[in-house]
Amino acid sequence: MIIVSTVILLTCSSLRHILFQSTAYDLAIFDNGIYLISQGKTPFVSFRGIHILGDHAAFILYAIAGLYKIYPSVYWLFGLQAIALSLGALPVWQLAKYANLTPNLAIVVAASYLLYPLIFNLNLFDFHPEVLTLPAFFWAFLFAKKNNFFAFSLALIFILSCRDALSLTITAMGVWLILGERKIKLGVISLGIGIIWFVLATKVIIPRFSGEQVAAVARYNFLGVSLQEIILNLFLKPQIVLSHLFTLNNLEYLLLLLCPLIWGLFPKYFSPLIGALPILFLNLLTENKEQKDLLHQYSLPILPFLILVVIAALSVGQRWLQRPKYIILWSLVTFFALAKVGYFSSRYLESIDTWSATREALNQVTKEGNVLTSANIAPHVAHRTKVELAIEGSQGINLQQFDDILLNKRHPGWNSSPELVNTLIGRIEQIPEFKLAYKKNQVYLFERISPQSNLL
């Protein structure tokens, strides 16, 4: 199951990238940062405007850069992501066996994990280092049950190295271990490590490398302009909090989260969800729609705790669907209803008419020069020091700083428009140092002419 899942996920993410459907946010951010680390350069992501550690304090990227030293390729990220998402089924199966589930039910739980729509959709949404934490979460649960303090601590450290916000989950996990599992020492370890990393990441690392506070703070500006003010107003202004929590959008989000596993969810066994509460609360509180779906990475830390609830219920014979084959059938139904398999026959083919021209133009782009391009092409040219995006707000960008400018007027990509591309082309044509090196199907490549060639 794990091998088949890995192959499917890797194939899908690679195909999406080949079709120019991956984007600068977030694939090119991580690809560019990791590449620069591997080259011994400062990982300052130019179009993001910050050091890569100023994004989410993800130190794991430095370890991944070791693979780029072997050979720099974005497919390392697709491979790691596919393996991690699929490998999560192994500790899920181990947890089910440890809970004395029958062999058939243990396999069913592992299969239900792999068929949970978020797994497939996360794999399609570029790359995010926190995806690597899924198997680590499940192993942390298993180590906690076996009272393996050292392995448990290592799992927590790995998880925290992937994203700053996961410190909230680790902290809440500590509360659950103390109150729900009566594992005081393990709970204190989790609680302590989570709090320490939250303070370090939000107060030291991110401000030091970005010059700003945590970026996600802006999503809760209705409660304040700083992290401290937002935390304070959570208690001082409950009417605002409640008005944002009790909405139809949040009800729909909860149904999406629970529906694929509803056959094994019973309130009596909800204590593991203590660990999921901080991220769930943040997702419900914000107005950002990306945090309320099964397409993006924001719901990832909730899934491991939902699986724990299912295993706990199954261990005492509780489930709404009695036969394993019905559980698999339900998982398949929800998978095809909520996983974005259909994108490969619809959305991902929208720019297929310029695919060949874009590939030909890319082959002429310099290997290391500065590039201005669309958000959808940026992941294909991220292995260089400077990449900027032709998106809204870039109309007046200094064009003299680039060696290549690659634009697709017919399909301008995320946060752009044909009008914006027209504006940029008009400006480029007024600069003698640039020549039109390629034009086909409204795909334009402009190259800076070297002084020597200009003289000739």
Side-chain angles (χ1 to χ4, degrees), residues 7-22 75 78 123-124 341 343-345 348-349 352 355 380:
V7 171
I8 292 174
L9 294 180
L10 178 57
T11 300
C12 289
S13 59
S14 299
L15 180 58
R16 177 180 181 265
H17 179 66
I18 291 169
L19 291 172
F20 296 106
Q21 296 301 315
S22 54
Y75 291 96
F78 297 147
N123 181 69
L124 291 183
V341 181
Y343 278 7
F344 286 97
S345 60
Y348 292 165
L349 298 180
I352 195 67
W355 183 86
H380 297 263

Side-chain angles (χ1 to χ4, degrees), residues 39-227:
Q39 299 301 304
K41 300 179 180 178
T42 301
F44 185 87
V45 181
S46 55
F47 64 88
R48 181 74 173 82
I50 60 172
H51 189 287
I52 194 67
L53 287 181
D55 193 14
H56 293 296
F59 281 94
I60 193 67
L61 301 178
Y62 282 81
I64 297 174
L67 296 174
Y68 276 55
K69 287 183 176 292
I70 299 173
Y71 182 78
S73 173
V74 71
Y75 291 96
W76 284 117
L77 304 185
F78 297 147
L80 287 173
Q81 185 161 262
I83 291 170
L85 287 169
S86 302
L87 190 60
L90 177 59
V92 167
W93 175 78
Q94 291 173 319
L95 282 165
K97 294 286 288 181
Y98 193 81
N100 294 319
L101 269 62
T102 65
N104 282 347
L105 272 182
I107 291 293
V108 165
V109 175
S112 298
Y113 159 80
L114 290 174
L115 290 172
Y116 192 84
L118 181 65
I119 298 298
F120 185 84
N121 294 339
L122 273 177
N123 181 69
L124 291 183
F125 182 40
D126 292 341
F127 169 82
H128 299 89
E130 58 264 43
V131 170
L132 306 180
T133 67
L134 269 176
F137 267 112
F138 293 118
W139 270 312
F141 299 154
L142 189 61
F143 296 143
K145 289 183 180 296
K146 294 182 177 181
N147 292 312
N148 189 330
F149 292 88
F150 180 71
F152 176 75
S153 300
L154 286 181
L156 297 192
I157 292 171
F158 176 82
I159 291 169
L160 292 173
S161 74
C162 294
R163 187 182 174 97
D164 56 331
L166 293 177
S167 58
L168 298 174
T169 303
I170 297 303
T171 301
M173 186 196 300
V175 176
W176 163 63
L177 287 170
I178 293 171
L179 299 180
E181 297 293 301
R182 306 300 180 189
K183 293 183 177 291
I184 308 301
K185 292 182 180 179
L186 287 165
V188 170
I189 290 173
S190 185
L191 196 63
I193 291 177
I195 292 174
I196 291 170
W197 184 245
F198 177 79
V199 174
L200 281 176
T202 61
K203 293 298 184 182
V204 180
I205 298 171
I206 292 177
R208 164 66 179 81
F209 287 99
S210 71
E212 304 172 353
Q213 60 183 341
V214 179
V217 166
R219 298 174 184 172
Y220 306 92
N221 55 15
F222 54 87
L223 284 172
V225 296
S226 68
L227 184 59

Side-chain angles (χ1 to χ4, degrees), residues 127-376:
F127 169 82
H128 299 89
E130 58 264 43
V131 170
L132 306 180
T133 67
L134 269 176
F137 267 112
F138 293 118
W139 270 312
F141 299 154
L142 189 61
F143 296 143
K145 289 183 180 296
K146 294 182 177 181
N147 292 312
N148 189 330
F149 292 88
F150 180 71
F152 176 75
S153 300
L154 286 181
L156 297 192
I157 292 171
F158 176 82
I159 291 169
L160 292 173
S161 74
C162 294
R163 187 182 174 97
D164 56 331
L166 293 177
S167 58
L168 298 174
T169 303
I170 297 303
T171 301
M173 186 196 300
V175 176
W176 163 63
L177 287 170
I178 293 171
L179 299 180
E181 297 293 301
R182 306 300 180 189
K183 293 183 177 291
I184 308 301
K185 292 182 180 179
L186 287 165
V188 170
I189 290 173
S190 185
L191 196 63
I193 291 177
I195 292 174
I196 291 170
W197 184 245
F198 177 79
V199 174
L200 281 176
T202 61
K203 293 298 184 182
V204 180
I205 298 171
I206 292 177
R208 164 66 179 81
F209 287 99
S210 71
E212 304 172 353
Q213 60 183 341
V214 179
V217 166
R219 298 174 184 172
Y220 306 92
N221 55 15
F222 54 87
L223 284 172
V225 296
S226 68
L227 184 59
Q228 296 92 325
E229 187 178 357
I230 290 172
I231 294 174
L232 186 62
N233 284 332
L234 287 175
F235 301 96
L236 297 181
K237 298 181 179 180
Q239 70 280 6
I240 297 179
V241 174
L242 293 175
S243 68
H244 281 78
L245 290 179
F246 293 98
T247 66
L248 288 176
N249 285 338
N250 283 343
L251 178 60
E252 179 185 1
Y253 172 53
L254 289 174
L255 290 174
L256 287 174
L257 274 177
L258 303 179
C259 185
L261 298 172
I262 195 67
W263 50 268
L265 297 176
F266 292 82
K268 182 179 179 181
Y269 307 100
F270 273 9
S271 67
L273 292 183
I274 294 173
L277 283 180
I279 298 301
L280 179 61
F281 177 73
L282 291 175
N283 290 349
L284 294 173
L285 187 62
T286 183
E287 295 177 349
N288 179 23
K289 293 182 179 179
E290 291 184 352
Q291 289 181 237
K292 303 177 190 290
D293 59 33
L294 296 185
L295 305 178
H296 300 86
Q297 73 276 18
Y298 303 105
S299 298
L300 181 147
I302 301 172
L303 177 57
F305 298 95
L306 287 174
I307 295 293
L308 279 186
V309 173
V310 169
I311 292 175
L314 291 177
S315 68
V316 293
Q318 293 287 310
R319 58 181 186 269
W320 299 111
L321 297 175
Q322 294 302 314
R323 296 190 177 183
K325 66 178 181 181
Y326 293 151
I327 296 174
I328 294 296
L329 179 61
W330 177 256
S331 297
L332 287 170
V333 168
T334 55
F335 174 84
F336 285 108
L338 300 174
K340 302 306 177 183
V341 181
Y343 278 7
F344 286 97
S345 60
S346 56
R347 177 178 297 191
Y348 292 165
L349 298 180
E350 290 177 354
S351 61
I352 195 67
D353 55 327
T354 60
W355 183 86
S356 178
T358 305
R359 293 301 314 171
E360 291 173 2
L362 273 174
N363 289 333
Q364 297 185 37
V365 173
T366 55
K367 298 299 182 183
E368 298 181 354
N370 297 341
V371 171
L372 172 68
T373 190
S374 71
N376 295 74

Side-chain angles (χ1 to χ4, degrees), residues 437-448:
Y438 182 89
K439 178 183 177 182
K440 183 179 179 181
N441 293 341
Q442 299 187 55
V443 174
Y444 297 79
L445 173 63
F446 294 91
E447 293 180 350
R448 174 181 292 278

